Amino acid sequence: MSKLIRSLSSFVNRANKVHVSLFSVFIFLAGCAEHNQHSTESESSKVVAQVAAPIQLKVGEGFVNPLGYYEQRPRFSWKIPQYGKAQFQSAYQIQVATSAKFLDTQVIWDSEKVVSDNSAWISYQGKKLLSRQKVYWRVKMWDENDQASKWSEVNHLEIGLLNNDDWQAKWIGHPDANEFDEDSVFNRTVKGGRFPAPNNKYYRPHYLRKGFSLDKDIYQARLYITSKGVFKPFINGKAISNDVMTPGWTPYHKRIETLTYDVTSHLKIGENTLAAIVAEGWHSGRIFHPTEQQYMLPMRLLAQLEVTFTDGTQQIVASNKDWQSTDQGPIREASNYDGEIYDANFELTNWHSADFDKNQDADKWQKVITEPLEQHVLLKPKRHSTVRETLTIPAVKIVSQKNGITIFDMGQNMVGVPEINIPVIKNQQVKLRFAEAIDKGEFAVTNLRSAKATDLYTPNKTGVVRYQPTFTFHGYQFVELSGYDQASTPTLDWVKGKVLHSDFEVYDNFTSTNADLNQLSDNVSWGLRGNFLDIPTDCPQRDERLGWTGDAQVFAQTSMYKADVYGFWAAWLESVREEQSIDGMVPNFVPFRNFLTSLTGSAWGDAATIVPWELYQFTGDKTILAENYIMMKRWLGYHTFNSYQHISTMSSHGDWLQPFTSDGNNGGDTHRDLIATAYYAYSADIVAKTARILGYHTDADQYEVLFNNIKRKFRDYFFDENLLLRTNIIKPPIYNNGSERQGPTKKISPKTTQTSYLLPLAFDLFAVEEQNQAVEQLVTLIEKSDRHLRTGFLGTPLLAPVLQKFGHSDLMYEILFKESYPSWFYSIKNGATTTWERWDSYSLETGFNGEKMNSLNHYAYGAIASWFYRGMLGIEQTQPGFKHFKVEPQFTDKLSTVNGSHPTPYGDIAVSWAITDGQLIMSLTVPKNTEARLVLPKIEDIAVIRNRSIAVSESEVLLPGEYEIRGTVAF
Ligand code: RAM
């Protein structure tokens, strides 16, 4: 009974808080009373059966039945079916068992009935799961009437190898597989310039194999495997997965991710072969322009096959000194930046199958060398999806064809590899080059800088061949093909584009009646696909492709509207934590390599606080805050260290690539101290809120004070009484490394920029009563630039939220719909199919703009797409995770129809609206177990119908259901 009272009072409290009508509370009370009377009634009784079981069971950041899972205390999430009877969850019960049968003795954790409306991120509270452990789980729920559902279907998860001690295997590799660059076809030496590379080694791919026999019936087999470098594994001649570029990129000196595969069906009684190819990847290949001190270690493989027989015994085949290796296989070279070289003359017969003929190519195979596992390099199960081929796109046009060179247009700037099916002549090398654009009729590769982005294929027979590179990726729209059999005429089906990215769902869930807007939405999705290849990168094509933290923090929010990337970000944050140095510094890019002069910068390192905070806003999962809290605090400490009386002098890349700067500087005109101090304040605010949420109240109190102090100081230090930027400010007497500066007083005069106002307005650094005055200054600046933006990476993402918040969405629409430079549609009018690095990267008339640093696939400016959801559709969480949200579409006469949705932990919020002849028709889906508020300020005579029949008031809290909303437009 006491449980019932607790459940009642919690529901009534919640109901009061959200103004659920008294009627539904009454129904709930009635339901509970009934349940109490019949509490012994079996679950299969008629009433109980009406509540549909929870569906879409997920583990951790959204995994379904994961194998090789990483969390010893997994989090569980589920949904209430949208078309079932239950509206809300009032309680749940989770059971975890060692078998799918869930017999009493098999249940290792039973949450029992927990009164709670939480249906996401519920942490397993049983005994920590261990390496290799497989468990089954199921959940049931009680609805708002305390009616129990049936148990859900049974799902499962299996833990990977969690500890280095779990490995008997040793690192293995070819004994002498490294050579100097003179031998490389690509000759990787970067001559002259800022980053000469006198000693750039490259490594030929290693082919590794081991034959073994199994003589009993096989019950199950798991392959645990990873590499230093990137690998592709085979059993008995067959590739065992579609994964690409595994294990991905982490700070390898601290942690290498491992993969787990179910290979039961690949094995047989008798002779078997386990094999793998290992290539440079990020570990052993060059990153950026190589420098002399950047000595790359060679590739290594680590593999452990664990076979369990039906009689319960086990056999382990681990990488060790008994393996064989050659570097004389057909993949001659493979490099992320430079491409792959394949020579079919080196193909190895049956090397990865049990029919391996010991005499054939015998001289090519040598004993491997072994290395022990390093204690300080943790081997941990990969915690997010691997890279895979997610789409295949056809070539759409042959651009030119002369002198045996044909250029294909893929119609889309994409990231991945080509698949060619072409006629070839024995030993005549086929060459593939890749470019993002045709520039003044030329195949334009200068913006790739030193990246050769070339695949070479030498056939060993004449005829039609199919080839697709294995260990590289390119960013391109155009493919240049030469070396094919010129007796044939090239056709479009010769080249296909295999799109590669971390394998998550891209939602593609926004459309409108404006074609340019739809194209922009699409471009942002493609920018996301192209730059979410294991880590979030700035660009995918040139000799860079780095995990720039600044780009990440400006795009994280948008990416969460556009794709299922929670796991992707959570995994990258683990690398960010590992790369944080002892003083709290978070580097400019993660994983980090020390080859640039500046290690970090404000607004870049602030990814450490902003990204976890954004993820929390979308998911409501406190784990992401808890996991990162120490890092967040330490980063804030680093800010403090770089500040003087609350003014930060931390260096920064600034409002990167702002257009129309006064001196052509990439870093823009907004003063760095202003940027640094604004971000210092924002990080303090985030850390204070995080501390409060996690229950660290002393911390929270302290950081709130800090935030308010920085806020006050920021206001008075940079702005005068009329909210104009001050001139001749005396710079703090410190260097940006915190040490005191001697010598003459330095003065600064920050320039007036849009970003100087956007930062404090977005981060809440002006007193409420001053905000409108600041907004006026901002609007005046925008007016002065003919209603165009003048913002770089930092200011641009803040334009829409700030203008919307202060009632200027109309102005935002104007900025957004501008076609003249600088604007988003400018790129679209100039043929963009992705987001560009610069506002003027390219034009149809003059081609590339002449800058060396000029990528056509950079996601940062794509941050605007978050406004499609938050502004145009108006979907915004009022409680993290969208359990409560508001829908406040920013209607405009520039758009007649907008359609879109956002998947939340509870289900999809879908919104669409159309305005015809001054009449609004809108539909809205409020997912089960959530509540919404409708805000329609520019609409009169509003009528709201729920589930086709129930009239509700627009000011009411909207319960789960399908809504139709009509009204008259008042603008
Ligand atoms: C360049 C890239 C990247 C940016 C840094 C500062 O390498 O444009 O996106 O974050 O500079």
Side-chain angles (χ1 to χ4, degrees), residues 288 449 537-539 542 544 546 548-551 588 596 604 653 656-657 793 837 853 858 860:
F288 209 57
R449 299 194 306 214
T537 56
D538 62 328
C539 61
R542 66 181 179 224
E544 189 160 356
L546 297 173
W548 283 95
T549 43
D551 307 41
N588 273 323
L596 292 180
W604 268 252
H653 291 286
W656 191 242
L657 306 184
F793 279 25
E837 182 170 20
M853 189 192 76
H858 237 69

Side-chain angles (χ1 to χ4, degrees), residues 420-477:
I420 51 167
N421 279 284
I422 57 164
V424 294
I425 294 175
K426 184 174 175 173
N427 283 332
Q428 178 176 305
Q429 195 175 58
V430 173
K431 186 172 182 179
L432 289 149
R433 295 200 307 150
F434 303 87
E436 291 191 290
I438 303 291
D439 188 2
K440 300 174 200 80
E442 295 295 311
F443 192 72
V445 293
T446 42
N447 75 326
L448 307 181
R449 299 194 306 214
S450 75
K452 306 270 188 315
T454 304
D455 299 329
L456 300 172
Y457 178 90
T458 306
N460 61 357
K461 59 175 194 271
T462 298
V464 173
V465 292
R466 180 201 165 273
Y467 166 68
Q468 174 178 337
T470 309
F471 293 121
T472 189
F473 59 95
H474 312 293
Y476 63 100
Q477 178 173 339

